[in-house]
C-alpha cells in the first residue's frame, strides 16, 4: 500500500502521505459481511474524525463503524466507473467543515 507514495504522489506533486497498513486483514473476507478495510480504518483513526471514500462499503460497514467509532465519520460511496467528481469534493469539504475539532464530533 505504501507504493502510492513512490509512484503516484510524486507524479501529482504530493509529499509523502500516511497510509493504512491493512496487515493480515488485506483482502480477507469476513463472515459478518463487514468489508475487510473497516476494522483497520477504525483502528487507524483511533477516535479521530475520518472520511472513507470507496465503492465497496455496505450497510454492514456503516453499522460496524457507527458501533466502533465515536468521532465524526463519513462513509462516502463513489462510483468506480466515474471516480471522484465535483459533488464528491463538495461533500467531503462540507464534512470536514462540520467537524468540531475540540470534540471530534460533526
Amino acid at each position: 500500500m505504501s507504493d502510492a507514495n513512490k509512484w503516484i504522489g510524486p507524479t501529482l506533486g504530493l509529499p509523502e502521505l500516511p497510509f493504512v497498513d491493512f496487515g493480515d486483514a488485506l483482502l480477507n473476507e469476513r463472515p459478518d459481511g463487514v468489508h475487510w478495510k473497516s476494522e483497520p480504518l477504525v483502528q487507524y483513526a483511533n477516535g479521530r474524525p475520518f472520511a472513507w471514500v470507496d465503492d465497496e462499503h455496505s450497510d454492514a460497514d456503516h453499522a460496524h463503524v457507527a458501533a466502533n467509532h465515536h468521532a465524526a465519520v463519513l462513509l462516502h460511496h463513489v462510483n468506480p466507473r466515474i471516480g471522484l467528481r465535483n459533488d464528491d469534493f463538495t461533500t467531503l469539504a462540507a464534512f470536514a467543515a462540520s467537524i468540531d475539532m475540540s470534540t471530534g464530533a460533526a
Side-chain angles (χ1 to χ4, degrees):
M1 296 290 175
S2 66
D3 286 347
N5 279 320
K6 181 178 180 182
W7 299 107
I8 298 170
T11 301
L12 298 175
L14 298 173
E16 187 167 320
L17 299 170
F19 63 93
V20 177
D21 181 354
F22 292 105
D24 293 338
L26 185 66
L27 302 176
N28 285 335
E29 290 193 33
R30 293 174 44 144
D32 60 2
V34 172
H35 195 284
W36 57 268
K37 293 177 186 173
S38 290
E39 188 58 31
L41 288 170
V42 167
Q43 288 177 356
Y44 183 83
N46 193 28
R48 298 177 304 237
F50 76 97
W52 174 14
V53 178
D54 207 323
D55 66 326
E56 295 183 337
H57 34 58
S58 67
D59 291 341
D61 299 300
H62 285 269
H64 176 79
V65 172
N68 294 286
H69 185 74
H70 304 293
V73 65
L74 172 66
L75 275 63
H76 183 71
H77 178 39
V78 173
N79 183 327
R81 290 181 176 84
I82 298 172
L84 290 165
R85 311 222 18 176
N86 286 340
D87 288 348
D88 299 306
F89 290 106
T90 299
T91 298
L92 291 165
F95 169 71
S98 75
I99 297 170
D100 178 346
M101 292 310 293
S102 66
T103 65

